[in-house]
Amino acid sequence: MPRHARSTRVATLLVGTRGFGAVHLERLAARTGETELVAVADPAGAPAEGFGAEAPAFESLEAALAAGVRPDLVIVATPTGSHAALAETALGAGADVYLEKPPVASMADFERLLEAERRSGRAVQVGFQSLGSAALDAIAAEGEVSSVAASGAWLRTRAYWRRSAWAGRRTLDGRPVVDGVVTNPLAHAVATALRIAGAHTAEDVASVELELYRANDIEADDTSSLRVTLASGIRLGIGLTLCAAEQEPPVIAVRTTGRDVEFSYTRDELRTVAGPDAAQVGEVRRFDRLDLLDDLLAHRATGSGLRSPLAGAGAFMRVLEGVRLAPDPEPVRVTAVAWRGEGDAAHPVVDDVAWWVRRAAEQAALFSELAVPWARQPHEASGVEIGVDARGETAAFARRDDGTAVTATSSPRPFLHPIRTPGGIVVSDAHPVDHDWHLGLSFAVQHAGGANFWGGRTWVAGQGYRWLADHGRIETVAFEARDEGYSARSAWRAPDGGALLEQRTELRLAPVLKTAAGGIRVFDLEVELLATGEPVELGSPGSNGRTGAGYGGLSWRLPRTDSVRVRTADASGEDECHGRTAPWLAWTAPFDGGTATVALAGADPVTAADPWFVRVDGYPGIGSSLAWDRDAVVGPEPFVRRWRGLVADGDPGDEVIGALLSRPTGGALG
């Protein structure tokens, strides 16, 4: 069946008429003035009705070519494992190729297909339709991209994984398939994030780190986190799942030198998240999308560049190859998975998975680095139990974690967690779902010499919270544990590794006071800072223009609980205690294991003058704020803060709390 010599329409052959092939039939039906469907190739034959039903049908592309069909364009909409051979055959026949995503199933196939394309002189367009969005040009106009975060939370039923022999497989009949969340259902999120970050070729990708998990009974991954570092230094965080409670539009968060925006590629929408013009925050802009088939037809007619050329998929193929070569996905712990629906309509829901994939993407962190409860544990940090006497007769007060396992964007630092009452009730939390960088009882500030030692987004005056590459870390230099506490020396290091501050910390524990409820443990904590060079300003969002957000200094993250009673000697409730200076602050609530109380007091006049930071409704936490509404400065002279605190089983009462926290102390460091 020779090509129609006099026709100006593009002779088109469709390989694969079911699944996404049906979508291509709809597109071709709308373009009969530009294209002519000269044949279809599918073992199942032509569709029973509708456009394409009357087209000559062949069992395979080879059979169609052998019968004399001479297409100008071949559209390949078949399982990924068959793409390379089909595309090579089409190129060898002198046709341009529209290749569905992902382009091929291995880097070796990709390199071979690139060479076949070069030899043929024809063009291959890869069907990453999101790359046709005009929003990509708008993002490029925002400014230089500093980082990109792609997250997607979809759900897929059992029927989805039973739709074909290759569904959910890593290999089939000895050949790679790689049909997981990263490389197929949400592959657009990966490919688009790479394009926005300026990554086109395989050489543009320096490294791919990933963790693959599965809640379904499949070979491939359905829930994964990735960190992709480009040769340019830009890092991409990617978190994806098919095990969400509800389907949500995937989001690509882009941080630029101008504005930070979020791109919803399924809607072609850009939302402004932060930037110099506060009035633009929340603004949503919608864009048109160029169909990649039309783009390929225009290329054939005018020689214009392709939006999604095969060579431009090299960066994506580096990610796919990383997935292909990775160990088999780990099963998500059964107790973290709830199944909804019945039969083929059933689908798994992983605990808090939509939150975690967004968090992993935002922080360019792997699930294990975020201490996600259902993920494998990261390397062990150096931890020491504090408060056990030499005979082991006294229960531990807390575990001191040196923070080495904390992910970089949570500003690694030492912290105490879990903190326990004498009766064993845990009264601290670390890596909570809402703020991964909240770490038990710790000392940190968001602004110190241009670095963020708090973790998460940085507050920028006039722009709001922005993800910046400014996270510092506090490293333990020396540590000595004692029966009654510990002493430690630490270094505050800027993102480039340079030391800004030296910190000395000492914790001293008093003997447990026995009570009817269990007991009370009182402790003294002192922190001393010294600048290693020029004076260093310590600041907070509050000192940088965000009213009421003066957190930074001593921070105590508590477990979520109801019926909280937070108070000072003369005020109660979050609104009344937040931002107030008072001799002490106490928190009583029912925790897991029973009611318990924690309390803090400034142990000298300087510390007592720092306002209390209190959160109950948004999240449970208290703190002593050293830069409430103006920066503090650390110079060559010691900068010291001292606190006395307690943890108690039950509620010892305000009179007892006040008496225990007001006893004179000579200071932990003398």
Side-chain angles (χ1 to χ4, degrees):
M1 185 178 296
R3 182 184 303 162
H4 296 281
R6 292 189 298 274
S7 175
T8 60
R9 295 185 295 169
V10 177
T12 303
L13 190 158
L14 174 64
V15 186
T17 62
R18 273 62 176 176
F20 209 79
V23 176
H24 282 291
L25 286 171
E26 293 176 6
R27 290 173 176 166
L28 292 171
R31 292 164 177 80
T32 53
E34 302 165 82
T35 63
E36 178 184 5
L37 183 62
V38 296
V40 297
D42 193 313
E49 56 185 9
F51 186 79
E54 303 301 323
F58 299 88
E59 189 170 272
S60 66
L61 173 60
E62 291 82 355
L65 296 176
V69 177
R70 295 294 179 264
D72 300 313
L73 169 64
V74 172
I75 298 175
V76 178
T78 60
T80 307
S82 65
H83 283 189
L86 289 169
E88 282 188 85
T89 299
L91 291 169
D96 292 318
V97 178
Y98 186 108
L99 190 60
E100 261 312 316
K101 60 82 185 168
V104 290
S106 72
M107 185 59 76
D109 281 350
F110 178 72
E111 291 172 349
R112 188 170 65 251
L113 187 56
L114 270 179
E115 177 58 22
E117 181 188 38
R118 186 194 63 78
R119 289 196 312 267
S120 71
R122 306 314 304 170
V124 178
Q125 176 95 297
V126 180
F128 286 116
Q129 284 290 340
S130 55
L131 300 185
S133 178
L136 298 189
D137 297 327
I139 293 171
E142 293 290 351
E144 183 179 345
V145 173
S146 60
S147 64
V148 181
S151 60
W154 281 1
L155 64 87
R156 289 293 183 266
T157 65
R158 281 198 179 105
Y160 176 82
W161 300 112
R162 295 173 177 173
R163 70 192 189 279
S164 65
W166 53 267
R169 300 291 297 272
R170 287 169 65 81
T171 61
L172 183 64
D173 298 329
R175 292 188 55 79
V177 175
V178 205
D179 182 46
V181 62
V182 175
T183 54
N184 194 1
L186 285 166
H188 279 93
V190 180
T192 309
L194 288 164
R195 177 64 59 85
I196 290 170
H200 300 263
T201 69
E203 291 70 29
D204 290 333
V205 177
S207 65
V208 178
E209 303 165 82
L210 47 79
E211 290 180 359
L212 309 178
Y213 296 86
R214 60 174 179 83
N216 287 276
D217 184 17
I218 57 176
E219 287 183 355
D221 56 312
D222 56 36
T223 301
S224 297
S225 57
L226 299 87
R227 178 169 52 238
V228 181
T229 303
L230 304 185
S232 65
I234 294 175
R235 290 199 314 173
L236 285 74
I238 300 171
L240 306 171
T241 186
L242 300 176
C243 301
E246 298 178 355
Q247 189 121 321
E248 301 177 7
V251 172
I252 300 175
V254 187
R255 306 153 199 168
T256 77
T257 52
R259 298 186 294 182
D260 293 353
V261 295
E262 289 186 344
F263 177 37
S264 174
Y265 65 80
T266 58
R267 298 175 175 176
D268 294 306
E269 292 180 350
L270 274 185
R271 184 173 72 90
T272 301
V273 178
D277 187 350
Q280 293 175 334
V281 174
E283 174 191 27
V284 177
R285 291 171 286 164
R286 294 174 176 82
F287 295 86
D288 294 329
R289 178 187 292 192
L290 174 64
D291 188 288
L292 294 186
L293 176 58
D294 292 332
D295 186 49
L296 179 54
L297 294 174
H299 168 79
R300 287 181 51 83
T302 68
S304 58
L306 291 174
R307 285 276 187 153
S308 184
L310 180 65
F316 174 83
M317 286 304 305
R318 274 293 307 276
V319 175
L320 182 146
E321 188 77 346
V323 173
R324 185 179 76 84
L325 297 177
D328 288 344
E330 298 186 33
V332 175
R333 183 165 40 84
V334 174
T335 54
V337 180
W339 281 85
R340 298 184 182 179
E342 300 292 336
D344 280 354
H347 64 94
V349 177
V350 174
D351 289 350
D352 298 315
V353 71
W355 171 267
W356 286 120
V357 296
R358 183 71 179 258
R359 183 64 63 204
E362 287 182 334
Q363 297 186 239
L366 304 180
F367 290 141
S368 65
E369 296 171 345
L370 296 176
V372 176
W374 40 261
R376 67 170 179 262
Q377 295 303 303
H379 67 279
E380 285 295 324
S382 174
V384 179
E385 293 292 338
I386 304 299
V388 180
D389 65 22
R391 294 173 297 178
E393 294 180 355
T394 303
F397 162 69
R399 181 178 188 270
R400 185 201 184 256
D401 190 311
D402 69 3
T404 54
V406 173
T407 192
T409 50
S410 291
S411 298
R413 59 192 182 273
F415 61 98
L416 296 179
H417 174 74
I419 301 172
R420 310 174 187 90
T421 68
I425 299 172
V426 174
V427 290
S428 64
D429 196 3
H431 303 289
V433 169
D434 49 67
H435 295 79
D436 172 72
W437 48 91
H438 287 187
L439 301 173
L441 182 65
S442 66
F443 184 85
V445 296
Q446 192 181 89
H447 302 265
N452 178 346
F453 289 90
W454 181 265
R457 293 181 177 88
T458 300
W459 174 264
V460 179
Q463 300 185 36
Y465 284 103
R466 301 194 68 177
W467 280 107
L468 303 176
D470 65 345
H471 294 92
R473 61 190 304 117
I474 303 174
E475 296 180 349
T476 300
V477 176
F479 178 82
E480 180 183 356
R482 303 167 183 162
D483 287 351
E484 72 281 7
Y486 69 85
S487 63
R489 289 191 298 112
S490 306
W492 290 44
R493 299 196 180 279
D496 63 3
L500 294 175
L501 297 169
E502 294 177 354
Q503 176 179 327
R504 288 199 298 158
T505 306
E506 185 141 344
L507 176 77
R508 293 194 305 185
L509 298 169
V512 172
L513 301 173
K514 299 295 185 179
T515 67
I520 301 173
R521 172 92 82 167
V522 177
F523 62 90
D524 288 316
L525 176 65
E526 179 172 314
V527 173
E528 176 187 282
L529 299 176
L530 289 170
T532 58
E534 296 296 316
V536 176
E537 292 185 344
L538 306 182
S540 69
S543 69
N544 281 272
R546 188 181 179 218
T547 302
Y551 54 83
L554 189 67
S555 174
W556 193 332
R557 176 60 196 248
L558 295 141
R560 284 199 175 273
T561 184
D562 297 323
S563 304
V564 173
R565 189 165 74 91
V566 62
R567 73 274 187 196
T568 66
D570 57 359
S572 63
E574 178 178 352
D575 292 342
E576 293 300 317
C577 296
H578 182 63
R580 177 184 291 265
T581 57
W584 54 264
L585 176 74
W587 177 294
T588 300
F591 295 92
D592 186 14
T595 296
T597 299
V598 305
L600 289 171
D604 60 30
V606 174
T607 309
D610 290 336
W612 296 112
F613 185 89
V614 179
R615 285 287 185 264
V616 177
D617 292 337
Y619 61 82
I622 57 176
S624 176
S625 303
L626 58 82
W628 178 259
D629 55 9
R630 59 176 60 87
D631 289 350
V633 179
V634 180
E637 298 299 319
F639 181 97
V640 181
R641 289 293 189 269
R642 299 184 178 96
W643 299 272
R644 172 162 285 186
L646 65 78
V647 294
D649 295 298
D651 181 359
D654 292 0
E655 184 175 343
V656 172
I657 291 171
L660 290 174
L661 296 184
S662 63
R663 289 179 180 175
T665 174
L669 297 178

